[in-house]
Amino acid sequence: MIDLRSDTVTVPTAAMRAAMAEAEVGDDVYAEDPTIAVLEGRVAGLLGHEAGLFCATGSLANVLGVAQHVRPGQEVLCDSGAHIARAEMGAHGALTGVTMRTWVSPDGRVDPACVEALLSPDAGPYLVSTACVEVENTHNFGGGTVQPLDALGAVSTLCRDAGVGLHLDGARLWNAQVATGIGLDTYGRLFDTVSVCFSKGLGAPVGSVLVGSAEQMASARILRKRLGGGWRQAGLLAAACLYALDHHVASLAEDHAAARAFTAELTASGIDVATPETNIVVVPTGALTSGEVVARASEGGVRLSAVGARLVRAVTHRDVSLDQCADAGRILAGILG
């Protein structure tokens, strides 16, 4: 079975497991886990921020990050296909009282004009005030699209002029860095808080890190504990993330090449699919429903995700080869053709 449902299906390598077994650990609720401290400090430095906080998931990191800017009853603005809007189980409203408004973008790329049109930082006593804008890079449901740096810079200026927080869901920011060559700190310094994930293309079993100011991370640590996210000897998990930083970032380029090989088989069969920028391919299913395509692909040995009524998604990763991805593209082309 060629599993292209997500890059979250990656499993830790033997060397990563060895690094976990050898990790120095302590009680992180008491802020005494040295490996956690190394990871948090290193990621904060890479992204140009003061401090970091280790979290179990990207969803938790996003909830904590947005909550640093938005009080209950205020709003965060984001793309209609953003992960925080579509794939976090309504956690922001359910857990922290945050409301949400969205703009629409066909490929997830942020348009500063859309943000400016929605911004309402001081809406008065009868309307909801904007307290934060969220951007996703790369954009998952947009097809792994990379946000243009000039657009991010324009949104950053808009938010700072308006006194509104800016949060980056950078779960796959590593992919954007590898695809563009733009430094992580160049992206990171545009935002007030940033979350990055290690359990997708980087292949760690668990872990995301939220970064921001020291004051914000101290506040986020309290909320993390309140939500049940206090860790004890979590250095075992942090060691996997540190190993991924040292050994797995550059190989994301191979995942991008595999996504292009997958897409090439579809376009060769006359199926109109955009050339992927990173490791995610969103494919329209035409006359078939996405459920029908997912079922037929599974029978043919390929696992895909349904991300819309007539859209399926393939995500390449380190546990599938370029040749396997090309084979998967041929199988999907046969179904759609």
Side-chain angles (χ1 to χ4, degrees):
M1 187 67 73
I2 304 170
D3 195 343
L4 301 179
R5 289 173 297 170
S6 176
D7 42 12
T8 60
V9 302
T10 52
V11 296
T13 64
M16 181 181 283
R17 291 170 187 258
M20 295 170 69
E22 295 167 4
E24 185 180 0
V25 298
D27 191 323
D28 187 50
V29 171
Y30 296 138
E32 293 176 354
D33 191 299
T35 310
I36 288 284
V38 169
L39 177 67
E40 290 174 342
R42 184 171 172 188
V43 175
L46 286 171
L47 290 163
H49 282 268
E50 190 176 15
L53 183 70
F54 184 69
C55 298
T57 67
S59 293
L60 177 58
N62 285 333
V63 167
L64 298 178
V66 170
Q68 300 316 301
H69 312 292
V70 189
R71 303 281 77 84
Q74 295 178 324
E75 69 181 6
V76 57
L77 306 179
C78 64
D79 178 79
S80 62
H83 194 275
I84 69 166
R86 287 197 63 195
E88 295 183 2
M89 306 297 292
H92 298 265
L95 300 176
T96 61
V98 169
T99 66
M100 195 174 290
R101 276 194 301 149
T102 62
W103 64 83
V104 177
S105 170
D107 57 8
R109 265 182 269 265
V110 63
D111 180 351
C114 291
V115 178
E116 186 174 21
L118 290 176
L119 272 174
S120 182
D122 186 11
Y126 306 115
L127 302 175
V128 179
S129 294
T130 306
C132 181
V133 172
E134 185 268 359
V135 178
E136 188 175 329
N137 194 21
T138 65
H139 197 289
N140 181 350
F141 293 117
T145 47
V146 178
Q147 300 290 352
L149 189 62
D150 58 348
L152 295 179
V155 172
S156 182
T157 299
L158 280 172
C159 289
R160 286 174 180 168
D161 288 348
V164 168
L166 184 58
H167 175 71
L168 173 63
D169 177 356
R172 295 182 175 88
L173 189 62
W174 322 104
N175 295 86
Q177 175 204 13
V178 169
T180 64
I182 296 171
L184 292 170
D185 61 335
T186 300
Y187 284 121
R189 292 180 196 278
L190 295 173
F191 294 82
D192 300 300
T193 52
V194 181
S195 66
V196 290
C197 188
F198 293 89
S199 62
K200 295 181 171 68
L202 295 191
V206 172
S208 289
V209 172
L210 174 70
V211 304
S213 70
E215 182 180 3
Q216 287 171 329
M217 293 307 98
S219 172
R221 176 178 283 270
I222 293 169
L223 181 56
R224 187 188 67 173
K225 182 71 163 64
R226 185 173 293 135
L227 295 176
W231 297 92
R232 300 300 177 177
Q233 290 73 35
L236 296 172
L237 301 174
C241 300
L242 287 166
Y243 182 90
L245 275 180
D246 290 333
H247 300 283
H248 291 175
V249 174
S251 64
L252 292 174
E254 299 172 14
D255 301 343
H256 300 175
R260 292 192 295 271
F262 174 88
T263 304
E265 296 297 332
L266 295 171
T267 55
S269 297
I271 297 165
D272 185 18
V273 183
T275 301
E277 297 175 33
T278 54
N279 68 320
I280 300 176
V281 185
V282 175
V283 184
T285 59
L288 299 173
T289 67
S290 56
E292 290 171 330
V293 172
V294 167
R296 294 187 191 185
S298 182
E299 292 171 0
V302 179
R303 287 180 175 167
L304 303 169
S305 293
V307 293
R310 296 187 185 275
L311 289 174
V312 295
R313 185 191 68 176
V315 186
T316 58
H317 52 83
R318 60 182 300 105
D319 288 355
V320 290
S321 68
L322 186 145
D323 288 343
Q324 285 178 308
C325 292
D327 288 343
R330 282 191 288 274
I331 291 168
L332 181 56
I335 294 168
L336 297 179

